[in-house]
Amino acid sequence: MTTTLFHLSDIHFGLEDNKALDWVKQEIAERRPAAVAITGDLTMRARHREYSAACSWIRSLDVPVTVEIGNHDMPYFNLIERFFAPYRRFRNIESLIERTIDLPDIAIVPLKTAVRMQPRLNWSKGWVSRSALRQCLAAIDALPAGTKALVAVHHPLREVGTKGTALTYNGFKALCALAKRPVLAVLSGHVHDPFDIMEETLDGPVRMIGAGTLSLRLRSTPPSFNELTWDGTTLTVRARNLDEVPTRSMQIDDVPENALPPREPGEPVAPVNQVPRTDPPVH
Ligand SMILES: [Fe+2]
Ligand SMILES: [Fe+2]
């Protein structure tokens, strides 16, 4: 039996690409994936109207949906709320979209990587807290025997350099712990370009799959989402896009470590095969 999942990310309601979203909605209606996993940055600035638009769109999909919190999904303008109730707006919509997900031998397990504040200048980067990792590992360990986990995060679990420059602090520690468990792949967003790479850890390799964006904040590839197919043995990824760029051309070869401003909305996307693959801007 084959299971199809759609992996969406970085819709950034407030700066969403409505043409791409109409297409994805139609694809969901036609293909009826077993679930849609959205890996964060649902909104642009966590405004109430952006959350409301996100909620309407998600509720119009007639399939189960999971959503992770991204660095853009915590209050941006209201700092008091950001510090004291950072997840309230997100949790409100999470409760509205909740539906039971019943997958045969796989499970989507969340791991929170976005935090309200951190002891470094760039708060848009990821941070895996001890309690977030503990919750994720406990959820994996509680799965029925034979069930494989798809771990859903916002930031790729890439950690290089120092505490200040790492894309996701404690990402490597998390990957090592996941490598020891039945994890099919880690699904992420944040980068705005798709990828599918094997990350080596001290405890074996872990597959990291990134979805592109469905917003106007493009980096180096057109708007896209990942179609995942699981046949019980192999997980196949297609980076679906309206321009019909082949998956291999859509996927970047490595996860960039810098978080620089993305391409401005409206600026044309360079043809994918001409995109420089070194040190491009990410969001
Ligand atoms: Fe984003
Ligand atoms: Fe992000």
Side-chain angles (χ1 to χ4, degrees):
M1 183 182 157
T2 300
T3 305
T4 300
L5 303 171
F6 281 8
H7 171 199
L8 280 46
S9 205
D10 296 79
I11 305 177
H12 285 290
F13 277 93
L15 213 53
E16 76 278 20
D17 184 328
N18 284 305
K19 187 179 166 205
L21 283 184
D22 288 348
W23 165 67
V24 174
K25 188 171 167 177
Q26 192 186 327
E27 285 292 316
I28 290 170
E30 285 172 14
R31 302 291 312 283
R32 300 206 49 83
V36 172
I38 305 178
T39 50
D41 279 1
L42 199 53
T43 67
M44 190 56 216
R45 291 292 176 216
R47 295 177 180 99
H48 292 291
R49 64 173 181 273
E50 295 170 354
Y51 267 124
S52 163
C55 197
S56 300
W57 189 78
I58 291 170
R59 292 186 82 178
S60 73
L61 311 174
D62 192 20
V63 292
V65 176
T66 64
V67 188
E68 308 314 316
I69 189 164
N71 52 295
H72 276 257
D73 299 326
M74 285 172 281
Y76 183 79
F77 300 107
N78 184 338
L79 284 182
I80 293 175
E81 186 181 346
R82 183 180 177 106
F83 293 128
F84 293 105
Y87 311 122
R88 184 168 59 195
R89 299 180 192 198
F90 180 79
R91 298 282 179 239
N92 283 346
I93 78 128
E94 208 180 20
S95 63
L96 288 173
I97 61 166
E98 231 166 56
R99 285 179 196 150
T100 310
I101 301 185
D102 189 15
L103 303 171
D105 54 354
I106 47 177
I108 300 168
V109 179
L111 171 59
K112 190 169 79 68
T113 60
V115 290
R116 75 187 86 181
M117 59 186 291
Q118 42 187 302
R120 57 176 172 175
L121 285 177
N122 191 340
W123 292 2
S124 72
K125 291 188 171 188
W127 193 289
V128 179
S129 71
R130 222 177 283 175
S131 67
L133 182 58
R134 197 168 45 229
Q135 278 180 41
C136 171
L137 298 179
I140 296 173
D141 293 342
L143 293 173
T147 303
K148 295 198 184 303
L150 287 167
V151 176
V153 300
H154 177 59
H155 299 84
L157 300 179
R158 168 57 64 84
E159 184 173 13
V160 289
T162 66
K163 200 186 269 196
T165 60
L167 179 56
T168 305
Y169 186 62
N170 280 337
F172 189 68
K173 178 181 158 193
L175 274 182
C176 290
L178 295 176
K180 290 187 249 181
R181 289 169 166 83
V183 171
L184 259 189
V186 177
L187 309 181
S188 61
H190 187 67
V191 172
H192 288 211
D193 277 338
F195 57 84
D196 182 4
I197 60 175
M198 292 302 282
E199 189 80 345
E200 289 300 329
T201 80
L202 302 173
D203 297 287
V206 178
R207 189 172 178 183
M208 299 206 308
I209 296 172
T213 182
L214 290 166
S215 75
L216 299 172
R217 308 188 90 207
L218 300 177
R219 184 171 161 265
S220 66
T221 52
S224 68
F225 71 92
N226 282 341
E227 182 172 324
L228 310 179
T229 313
W230 169 242
D231 65 3
T233 311
T234 308
L235 181 70
T236 308
V237 180
R238 280 175 69 205
R240 304 276 317 274
N241 62 96
L242 267 173
D243 298 357
E244 299 192 2
V245 178
T247 294
R248 192 59 203 101
S249 301
M250 286 288 290
Q251 290 171 335
I252 54 173
D253 295 331
D254 202 3
V255 180
E257 58 192 79
N258 294 329
L260 301 173
R263 181 185 303 278
E264 286 302 311
E267 192 180 329
V269 181
V272 173
N273 56 9
Q274 294 175 18
V275 170
R277 292 297 188 213
T278 54
D279 202 26
V282 302
H283 163 64

